[in-house]
Amino acid sequence: MDTPVTAKTALLQALVSGDGYGIELIERVRSRTHGRVRLHQGSVYPALRSLERERLIESYEGEAPTERGGRPRRYYRLTAEGLRAAQDDRLAAAGLFGDPEWVPA
Amino acid sequence: MRDLHGYSKDCMYALQHRIVRALDRHAVPLRARRGLVSQIASDLLGSQGFTWDEALYSPEVSDELDRMVDQFLSEADEQLTLNFDRLPRNETADGTVSRSPASEPPDTRLPGAQSRAVPDRSRLRVAESIFSLVELFVPSRISAEEIGDALEVLDDLAADCAPSWKLHLKIASTVFWLGVNVVREIVTAALGKRPA
């Protein structure tokens, strides 16, 4: 079954709680949705780069731990425009998913 | 019967490595540490097809686990006592500030673990060789990000004593998606438009 949100939406929401890098954001989305939304390598990096081109997020290089073979982590953070987009997404999702008359079967 | 005894030695090292890494990345209250140890041990054994009960019925595993947990908790009490008033400012209880992202991370492993090699790093040499070759054909920003992340995942898999096929599958999928993502970037740049 498809996940209820796109990779870009999920990543924007994950970045609201703080900066993060690729696999950290994948894990953040997985844990916050209790495994319901699982992002993978084929969608995360293109989505991050697309969000950066849209100026909703920006990136910077972080530490380069030994297990990465000296390659620096690339951290992402929300821009002001990205934060507004994340809040808009959240309001839209609340309108869609937050039906007060819905009762689990 | 499966060889839990032969399996246990390497994975006890792996277990200790994972616990210390977990504590290094997250502030774990003392009272939650025993639960953390049990959870990580359970996950680790489960990934190899063993059950927690099966492990506890093995005297070698259960004795070693008890000994390690006791040692770990006593060492952790001394070294990692946390002051919850200072945690939001990223400071430890003894007044030392945690490492900054730009600095080289200190070796935070316990004294016992420091004398041992990190388990199964040798299994990652093939991955590093393949990725070094692939890197020649990929823009540096993309390769540093995606290959670096893949190596972190592979390091965790190796520390979990994951079977070789899982490592090989991760290497293959990384190379595949790296190629796809590079082509996607080239097409996006050539068309001069934002991807959907």
Side-chain angles (χ1 to χ4, degrees):
Chain A
M1 185 179 170
D2 291 338
T3 54
V5 294
T6 65
K8 286 164 78 170
T9 304
L11 289 167
L12 275 183
Q13 296 304 320
L15 284 167
V16 169
S17 57
D19 300 3
Y21 66 100
I23 53 172
E24 185 185 18
L25 293 171
I26 292 173
E27 177 58 24
R28 198 180 292 175
V29 169
R30 190 196 65 77
S31 64
R32 284 177 55 176
T33 60
H34 307 288
R36 186 73 179 78
V37 177
R38 289 173 183 269
L39 304 178
H40 62 87
Q41 194 174 358
S43 60
V44 166
Y45 300 108
L48 286 169
R49 287 191 274 269
S50 175
L51 288 168
E52 193 172 15
R53 275 191 290 268
E54 294 170 31
R55 302 189 193 288
L56 297 177
I57 61 175
E58 56 193 11
S59 69
Y60 61 95
E61 286 189 356
E63 70 275 26
T66 52
E67 62 263 31
R68 294 175 66 92
R71 298 169 182 84
R73 286 173 177 158
R74 180 159 289 276
Y75 282 89
Y76 293 89
R77 65 181 161 224
L78 286 175
T79 60
E81 193 179 348
L83 184 58
R84 277 195 297 275
Q87 288 167 340
D88 290 346
D89 283 349
R90 190 170 291 198
L91 284 174
L96 183 62
F97 297 129
D99 181 359
E101 296 179 7
W102 182 80
V103 178
Chain B
M1 185 177 174
R2 287 177 291 183
D3 184 14
L4 247 176
H5 288 192
Y7 169 78
S8 64
K9 187 178 174 185
D10 284 345
C11 276
M12 286 304 122
Y13 293 161
L15 174 60
Q16 187 165 4
H17 177 66
R18 279 202 57 185
I19 292 165
V20 175
R21 285 187 65 174
L23 280 174
D24 185 36
R25 291 179 180 180
H26 309 286
V28 180
L30 285 176
R31 62 180 177 278
R33 284 181 187 166
R34 190 172 290 275
L36 175 75
V37 170
S38 298
Q39 183 60 51
I40 291 176
S42 177
D43 290 348
L44 193 63
L45 290 162
S47 70
Q48 297 299 305
F50 297 111
T51 66
W52 181 239
D53 288 343
E54 190 177 19
L56 292 181
Y57 278 121
S58 165
E60 181 168 321
V61 172
S62 59
D63 291 350
E64 176 67 14
L65 189 60
D66 285 345
R67 186 195 63 74
M68 197 194 66
V69 167
D70 289 341
Q71 178 193 359
F72 166 74
L73 288 175
S74 60
E75 288 179 0
D77 283 347
E78 293 172 8
Q79 295 191 358
L80 292 167
T81 304
L82 300 174
N83 181 329
F84 290 93
D85 294 332
R86 288 186 165 192
L87 278 177
R89 297 198 302 274
N90 215 21
E91 296 173 353
T92 53
D94 62 0
T96 57
V97 179
S98 301
R99 68 184 183 282
S100 65
S103 65
E104 186 69 17
D107 188 349
T108 53
R109 289 177 293 161
L110 303 176
Q114 286 177 5
S115 61
R116 300 171 191 143
V118 175
D120 288 338
R121 280 292 298 173
S122 60
R123 297 171 70 192
L124 301 181
R125 284 191 195 129
V126 174
E128 287 167 358
S129 302
I130 292 172
F131 290 154
S132 297
L133 184 65
V134 171
E135 259 180 336
L136 298 174
F137 307 98
V138 178
S140 60
R141 173 178 164 174
I142 294 179
S143 65
E145 180 176 27
E146 298 193 25
I147 291 177
D149 283 4
L151 281 171
E152 278 196 60
V153 174
L154 286 166
D155 190 68
D156 283 343
L157 287 173
D160 287 349
C161 301
S164 294
W165 67 264
K166 277 191 179 176
L167 301 183
H168 295 151
L169 186 64
K170 179 62 187 170
I171 294 168
S173 70
T174 298
V175 173
F176 172 77
W177 283 116
L178 199 53
V180 170
N181 290 342
V182 168
V183 170
R184 198 181 307 197
E185 286 297 308
I186 292 170
V187 170
T188 302
L191 295 178
K193 67 176 186 180
R194 294 171 180 171

